[in-house]
């Protein structure tokens, strides 16, 4: 999604565009790999020195709720990373060595979701991550 598409989505869902919110969206689009909330905060603070981590979290969570951002749950105590949704809903392989998040082609859970829906469950979302080591980290992972 581009910044303009995200802003359109926010408006469609009935939320306001503030300059701070816009700065947070821009910050999410800057790094090469999905940033943590802390990364976003540091970028936003260049322009808005008084923004709090709490504000960043609230805005990112809102973006996740309306489907503009994917939350990548990392193992260990590492902070979650957030990725602007580029094409479609998908999941990640997280490298435990370097922290790289590799985007997987497509979601394989649709089938399970259909089964659950048929059984009368209302599904509101799901999270799914694969943990491992990327090829270049494999050597060091014993
Ligand atoms: Zn790696
Ligand atoms: Zn991805
Ligand atoms: Zn999925």
């Amino acid at each position: 999604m581009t910044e303009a598409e995200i802003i359109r989505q926010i408006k469609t869902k009935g939320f306001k565009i503030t300059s701070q919110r816009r700065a947070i969206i821009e910050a999410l689009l800057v790094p090469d790999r999905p940033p943590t909330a802390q990364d976003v905060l540091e970028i936003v603070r260049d322009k808005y020195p008084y923004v709090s981590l709490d504000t960043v979290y609230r805005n990112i969570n809102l973006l996740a709720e309306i489907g503009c951002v994917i939350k990548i749950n990392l193992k260990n105590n590492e902070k979650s990373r957030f990725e602007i949704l580029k094409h479609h809903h998908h999941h990640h392989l997280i490298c435990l060595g370097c922290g790289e998040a590799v985007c997987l082609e497509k979601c394989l859970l649709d089938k399970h979701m259909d089964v659950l829906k048929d059984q009368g469950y209302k599904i509101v979302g799901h999270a799914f991550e694969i943990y491992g080591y990327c090829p270049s980290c494999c050597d060091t992972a014993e």
Side-chain angles (χ1 to χ4, degrees):
M1 286 177 114
T2 63
E3 193 185 336
E5 283 166 343
I6 294 165
I7 287 168
R8 203 180 315 136
Q9 177 79 345
I10 292 171
K11 283 182 181 159
T12 305
K13 298 281 177 177
F15 295 100
K16 283 209 190 81
I17 306 294
T18 60
S19 54
Q20 242 180 43
R21 183 161 283 164
R22 194 185 273 261
I24 289 167
I25 295 164
E26 281 167 13
L28 279 162
L29 290 162
V30 171
D32 289 338
R33 68 176 192 179
T36 63
Q38 186 68 41
D39 294 337
V40 171
L41 179 68
E42 273 157 32
I43 297 166
V44 172
R45 272 196 175 157
D46 278 349
K47 245 171 149 182
Y48 301 92
Y50 302 109
V51 172
S52 70
L53 188 58
D54 207 53
T55 303
V56 170
Y57 267 119
R58 254 187 293 119
N59 277 280
I60 292 176
N61 284 332
L62 173 72
L63 291 170
E65 260 169 53
I66 64 172
C68 293
V69 161
I70 298 180
K71 183 179 179 185
I72 304 172
N73 301 299
L74 300 181
K75 247 185 159 189
N76 312 327
N77 295 319
E78 246 202 285
K79 299 272 177 5
S80 299
R81 294 184 174 279
F82 300 94
E83 179 185 56
I84 294 282
L85 189 64
K86 300 238 170 58
H87 312 286
H88 49 80
H89 167 81
H90 63 272
H91 298 276
H92 297 91
L93 178 141
I94 317 293
C95 176
L96 298 174
C98 62
E100 188 190 359
V102 182
C103 300
L104 303 178
E105 271 296 299
K106 57 180 179 181
C107 182
L108 301 170
L109 297 173
D110 288 345
K111 242 191 314 182
H112 299 286
M113 234 72 79
D114 290 341
V115 170
L116 287 166
K117 276 178 198 157
D118 288 347
Q119 290 172 353
Y121 292 95
K122 184 186 173 204
I123 309 299
V124 294
H126 66 269
F128 170 70
E129 261 77 43
I130 297 173
Y131 301 109
Y133 293 92
C134 74
S136 56
C137 286
C138 274
D139 299 338
T140 49
E142 62 143 351

